[in-house]
Amino acid sequence: MSTQTPVQDWTALGSRQIAVNGIELRVVEHGEGPLVVFCHGFPELGFSWRHQVFAFAEAGFRTLTPDMRGYGGSSRPDRIQDYAMATLCGDLVGLLDAVGAQDAIFVGHDWGASVVWQTALRHPDRVRAVAGLSVPVAPRPKAPPISIFRSRLGENFYMCWFQEPGVADAALAADVRRTLLRDEVVSAGDMTGGSANPQPPQWLSEAELQYYVDAFTETGFTGGLNYYRNLDRDWELSADLAGAKITAPAYFIAGADDAVLRFTPLAKMDAVLTDLRGTLLLDGAGHWIQQERADEVSTALIDFAHSVPGN
């Protein structure tokens, strides 16, 4: 077992820039065997999957873990439309092409979950299996998502607050540490309020927190916010996916206390997934599930991956 810290173990893996879909992604590669691609959410980095990357390598898998478009060491295009869902899915397909892989198991958390679900819908031949954490898949809504959120949850709901370019960007960057240590997020106030000197939870060391702080101090949050700013555009451009099904083997994990589950119910997953192999809700856990309950998440995901034909 390593005597180094998780940060030292992660940085020791190194990374490389891979050209995909007109940009570059910074990617950490580790292990040998069937391919697994890990996709992070907001505001995170490939580093968020550090525990799973090592566990999967030990279990006989090859992992690719990018900083997603707009984050960390990857390209951060200026235009909002450059973060459309079809483009994000294209990044993942381009990553497979770049490493000469026909397909992979895709695992995503938060926005990464949304992207891997959509990749399975849009590019089924490239997705051997798919697992989402914290954000369940749902059928295409009957109206633009932001209009639904505004009517049901109000203008102060955080996804609505994110829509105006520059506003949330500045507020979140004003105190990067506090932004990254927010716990339950439902309103704009949740994103900016709280203690002036918050302490990390027990599952996140000061060194791990500083890794995130350093990255977001350098990049800001605009890249990640632009994912949200495409929600209505993505809806408009996805009429052809209404009623579409994901036929790949699928799995879902969330913390039972995750606030996201209040407005993205699990019950709708069955309308999209034809081969849902399991749903794991971890009692007492919140949104940052793959870090907060790393061992349980890794074990469940590895068991799922082993159940996929060909692995």
Side-chain angles (χ1 to χ4, degrees):
M1 180 175 292
S2 172
T3 59
Q4 301 185 110
T5 69
V7 174
Q8 291 171 325
D9 285 337
W10 180 258
T11 56
L13 293 179
S15 65
R16 59 183 172 126
Q17 301 297 122
I18 298 181
V20 303
N21 202 20
I23 63 163
E24 287 191 350
L25 297 179
R26 181 170 70 183
V27 179
V28 172
E29 184 171 2
H30 188 45
E32 296 181 0
L35 183 61
V36 180
V37 179
F38 290 108
C39 301
H40 68 80
F42 176 85
E44 298 180 279
L45 300 163
F47 179 67
S48 305
W49 292 106
R50 58 199 175 279
H51 304 295
Q52 287 70 42
V53 164
F54 287 104
F56 265 76
E58 291 177 4
F61 291 88
R62 175 191 180 194
T63 64
L64 293 176
T65 309
D67 286 347
M68 300 289 279
R69 173 186 292 246
Y71 289 89
S74 294
S75 297
R76 301 188 301 278
D78 292 330
R79 301 186 309 167
I80 291 174
Q81 58 264 40
D82 287 333
Y83 297 83
M85 180 59 77
T87 302
L88 300 172
C89 296
D91 290 349
L92 300 187
V93 171
L95 184 58
L96 294 185
D97 291 341
V99 301
Q102 171 56 39
D103 57 21
I105 297 172
F106 285 92
V107 181
H109 172 251
D110 186 79
W111 257 105
S114 296
V115 176
V116 300
W117 294 130
Q118 285 289 314
T119 302
L121 280 174
R122 296 166 184 265
H123 306 280
D125 59 322
R126 310 306 296 271
V127 179
R128 190 181 322 133
V130 58
L133 278 62
S134 300
V135 175
V137 68
R140 181 177 182 269
K142 296 181 179 180
I146 296 302
S147 66
I148 295 174
F149 288 139
R150 284 195 172 112
S151 65
R152 294 181 180 176
L153 300 169
E155 191 65 42
N156 201 44
F157 180 61
Y158 75 102
M159 292 192 198
C160 301
W161 178 59
F162 284 171
Q163 294 304 305
E164 182 64 30
V167 175
D169 317 51
L172 300 183
D175 190 334
V176 172
R177 179 187 172 93
R178 184 165 64 179
T179 294
L180 294 172
L181 286 179
R182 79 206 193 293
D183 186 13
E184 183 174 292
V185 175
V186 175
S187 72
D190 296 329
M191 299 294 297
T192 57
S195 170
N197 185 31
Q199 299 304 303
Q202 62 180 6
W203 47 264
L204 186 71
S205 70
E206 280 288 349
E208 291 169 311
L209 172 61
Q210 194 61 46
Y211 185 96
Y212 289 112
V213 171
D214 290 345
F216 283 98
T217 298
E218 179 178 348
T219 68
F221 295 91
T222 299
L225 291 168
N226 283 340
Y227 287 48
Y228 295 92
R229 291 167 183 155
N230 277 282
L231 280 169
D232 282 356
R233 180 184 288 108
D234 291 336
W235 179 85
E236 293 169 0
L237 297 174
S238 64
D240 61 314
L241 294 177
K245 306 285 188 181
I246 293 174
T247 58
Y251 195 73
F252 181 74
I253 302 175
D257 297 339
D258 192 336
V260 172
L261 299 184
R262 299 178 193 172
F263 52 88
T264 53
L266 297 177
K268 295 183 178 181
M269 288 200 298
D270 287 338
V272 182
L273 304 173
T274 66
D275 188 9
L276 179 60
R277 300 286 178 92
T279 295
L280 175 63
L281 295 180
L282 294 176
D283 290 337
H287 185 66
W288 314 107
I289 189 71
Q290 80 271 43
Q291 300 177 83
E292 181 180 355
R293 302 285 279 273
D295 290 345
E296 290 162 277
V297 168
S298 295
T299 296
L301 288 174
I302 290 168
D303 287 345
F304 168 65
H306 280 310
S307 78
V308 175
N311 291 337

